[in-house]
Amino acid sequence: HVQLVESGGGLVQPGGSLRLACAVSGNLDSVSYMAWFRQPPGNRREGIASISKEDDDPYYANSVKGRFTISQDNAKRTVYLQMNNLQNRDTAMYFCAAGNPEREWSYSDYETPDSYWGQGTQVTVS
């Protein structure tokens, strides 16, 4: 049984930093990508960062490029999202996902039977 559990969210002032963690349990051998999505209130869920399990190749949305960094620690079975210079517009629920997307940024590509999602962690910048 695969489970993804996010942690590290909270309230931070503009310009501040947070590090989110996604702890993985269960067998993810069939998964090729780990990703972070976020969903601001009243808005769609958007892919902001992803990483290939095989070669650590990262993807970043333009909205976070240069401020956020995705990384993975295979020994700890954890994926991180380091978020620096946070702004009000970064306020959202942040979700961890695992799957085999054709487009690593696409929410619909993680709505498949072989994809997994965490419950989310709230980030508020104010």
Side-chain angles (χ1 to χ4, degrees):
H1 177 63
V2 174
Q3 222 176 1
L4 307 180
V5 179
E6 302 94 335
S7 62
L11 174 64
V12 64
Q13 293 182 342
S17 297
L18 284 174
R19 189 175 78 155
L20 306 183
C22 173
V24 177
S25 60
N27 188 346
L28 279 184
D29 288 349
S30 63
V31 162
S32 58
Y33 279 86
M34 302 294 298
W36 286 96
F37 286 74
R38 69 183 181 187
Q39 188 166 15
N43 285 276
R44 293 180 177 181
R45 198 170 296 190
E46 62 167 333
I48 55 172
S50 69
I51 189 165
S52 165
K53 285 181 59 184
E54 181 176 340
D55 58 16
D56 281 351
D57 184 31
Y59 157 83
Y60 298 101
N62 287 335
S63 57
V64 306
K65 196 174 293 183
R67 300 188 298 126
F68 291 11
T69 302
I70 188 171
S71 61
Q72 57 188 348
D73 184 328
N74 292 326
K76 294 183 179 180
R77 296 171 60 82
T78 302
V79 178
Y80 300 99
L81 186 68
Q82 177 67 42
M83 307 186 296
N84 297 329
N85 191 21
L86 284 160
Q87 302 300 316
N88 293 338
R89 65 180 183 271
D90 297 314
T91 294
M93 184 72 79
Y94 283 70
F95 297 89
C96 177
N100 299 289
E102 293 188 7
R103 303 162 295 179
E104 59 266 33
W105 44 266
S106 171
Y107 176 45
S108 62
D109 283 18
Y110 288 86
E111 291 188 291
T112 61
D114 63 346
S115 297
Y116 306 91
W117 287 88
Q119 292 300 305
T121 185
Q122 177 67 37
V123 172
T124 302
V125 185
S126 178

